[in-house]
Amino acid sequence: MFQKLLSYKEEMGTLRFPSEEQCTASGDAELIALQKWVKSQVLNFRYGKKARDPVVVKRFLDIGFSFDKWYAKPKGDKKYVGDGKKEETFDDVAKREVEGLLVEGGGGDAVMGSMGV
């Protein structure tokens, strides 16, 4: 499915998606499936009870994916996470987790090798 996401980015020039309702109304089964998969990845990242896999997070960040701006919505609706002491976006959290992976894992080569690159 990740390859379909790359194809979508190439074809559409963006990694942002129409709403679920708009995808359904389009009748495009592949778009509907891709949007649902991306949504599941984002929801797992944001709210998943199990530990996030920093390798997967890195893979998304490396292609320019935003865990904050993955679907088209009105501007000004910025979401922050944390205890309110510091405004931190979901993208900030993702980057911090990937940085931790690189420090713990001994560098980018180990990460890239585990992704089959």
Side-chain angles (χ1 to χ4, degrees), residues 43-115:
L43 293 178
N44 183 57
F45 173 78
R46 288 182 173 188
Y47 311 111
K49 302 224 185 272
K50 58 184 177 180
R52 295 184 280 257
D53 183 349
V55 173
V56 173
V57 173
K58 181 176 183 346
R59 195 171 184 197
F60 274 82
L61 291 176
D62 284 349
I63 65 167
F65 187 83
S66 171
F67 288 94
D68 290 312
K69 300 175 184 174
W70 68 277
Y71 67 95
K73 65 179 180 178
K75 292 183 179 181
D77 188 21
K78 195 166 189 169
K79 302 274 186 192
Y80 294 100
V81 295
D83 58 10
K85 294 178 184 171
K86 177 184 177 229
E87 291 184 342
E88 186 174 51
T89 65
F90 289 108
D91 286 341
D92 294 334
V93 172
K95 290 172 187 168
R96 186 170 29 88
E97 287 188 7
V98 168
E99 288 170 5
L101 172 72
L102 295 177
V103 171
E104 293 170 13
D109 292 339
V111 173
M112 297 307 285
S114 68
M115 291 192 319

